[in-house]
Amino acid sequence: AQTVTQSQPEMSVQEAETVTLSCTYDTSESDYYLFWYKQPPSRQMILVIRQEAYKQQNATENRFSVNFQKAAKSFSLKISDSQLGDAAMYFCAYREETSGSRLTFGEGTQLTVNP
Amino acid sequence: DGGITQSPKYLFRKEGQNVTLSCEQNLNHDAMYWYRQDPGQGLRLIYYSQIVNDFQKGDIAEGYSVSREKKESFPLTVTSAQKNPTAFYLCASREGLSYGYTFGSGTRLTVV
């Protein structure tokens, strides 16, 4: 079974600065998708960004970007110009293309943004 | 607006009782999923369904049951066999292979 590891249970950043959240995964598949989800205190899961494994170009969504290293099985999230509203739990997730395209989640990184 | 509706938001259950969590979507998505979230942990897959009248066990299916009689509905029953049911439960659906999931707002189940 695929596994997703987030080695940073907690991170903090000053408002307007940049922070990087780490994620590694284990898989033997060549085609898959990777996601970062944000879970604020409301507990609603919000999709932040996704990356297709066959694309070498790193995905970017406004202030959010990823560093996807397929050979290293690494998928980090960079948040630029951090805002107070970015404070949340962030989950890295892997989607396999077999077994119903299920998502496997890491244990999460709690991000605090300091004013 | 299209989305996923989970009800109730909070649910209390006495030990030994079965309880059913509702999940309804009007997104016309084929696939639906149930996840469990414990404090400080990620989401773990309980059951999923790719089409009507078909579903598969996830990683922690013991003590749970589901049905998928309609495309829009995927209820989860937490049975008395589930030894530690207190948790936050999230339902999700998927549009297509290139997209992520849409999540409901969750149900917080507490055993009293």
Side-chain angles (χ1 to χ4, degrees):
Chain A
Q2 281 75 11
T3 58
V4 178
T5 302
Q6 294 179 247
S7 59
Q8 308 153 315
E10 298 178 349
M11 291 283 284
S12 63
V13 63
Q14 290 297 125
E15 195 174 3
E17 296 192 345
T18 296
V19 64
T20 298
L21 308 183
S22 301
C23 173
T24 59
Y25 57 95
D26 183 29
T27 184
S28 57
E29 297 185 347
S30 57
D31 289 329
Y32 50 87
Y33 289 83
L34 295 163
F35 303 86
W36 279 97
Y37 280 89
K38 168 184 177 179
Q39 188 180 46
S42 68
R43 307 200 77 171
Q44 180 71 47
M45 295 289 283
I46 302 167
L47 177 63
V48 174
I49 198 166
R50 66 173 180 264
Q51 173 79 42
E52 294 91 334
Y54 64 86
K55 290 187 177 179
Q56 292 187 343
Q57 185 174 4
N58 290 324
T60 299
E61 290 287 343
N62 299 315
R63 297 183 295 106
F64 299 88
S65 62
V66 299
N67 183 5
F68 173 49
Q69 302 289 330
K70 190 173 184 179
K73 296 178 182 176
S74 172
F75 183 61
S76 61
L77 174 70
K78 185 171 82 171
I79 305 174
S80 304
D81 185 25
S82 297
Q83 301 175 358
L84 294 178
D86 295 334
M89 180 72 86
Y90 286 81
F91 291 101
C92 177
Y94 168 97
R95 195 185 80 196
E96 58 191 85
E97 296 312 297
T98 56
S99 300
S101 296
R102 50 178 290 170
L103 279 176
T104 299
F105 288 85
E107 295 189 346
T109 296
Q110 182 68 52
L111 178 66
T112 300
V113 181
N114 300 310
Chain B
D1 289 336
I4 296 180
T5 301
Q6 289 188 243
S7 61
K9 197 172 184 69
Y10 300 95
L11 189 57
F12 296 88
R13 190 196 89 174
K14 292 183 179 179
E15 286 193 25
Q17 287 183 339
N18 294 353
V19 63
T20 297
L21 284 59
S22 171
C23 178
E24 303 278 335
Q25 55 104 353
N26 60 3
L27 301 166
N28 200 36
H29 290 176
D30 287 314
M32 297 186 74
Y33 306 79
W34 273 106
Y35 285 87
R36 169 179 171 144
Q37 185 178 20
D38 292 286
Q41 297 188 27
L43 282 67
R44 293 182 290 167
L45 182 65
I46 305 172
Y47 268 98
Y48 63 98
S49 168
Q50 298 183 77
I51 56 172
V52 175
N53 293 323
D54 187 48
F55 49 83
Q56 286 78 40
K57 293 181 179 180
D59 298 322
I60 54 167
E62 185 176 351
Y64 299 97
S65 66
V66 293
S67 63
R68 187 85 187 277
E69 298 178 359
K70 299 185 299 181
K71 189 174 185 178
E72 315 84 69
S73 179
F74 191 41
L76 173 73
T77 296
V78 184
T79 74
S80 56
Q82 170 50 235
K83 298 305 179 186
N84 185 21
T86 295
F88 186 66
Y89 291 87
L90 279 163
C91 179
S93 68
R94 175 176 57 80
E95 175 179 359
L97 293 178
S98 64
Y99 292 89
Y101 290 24
T102 300
F103 284 85
S105 57
T107 293
R108 173 70 184 175
L109 173 63
T110 303
V111 174
V112 296

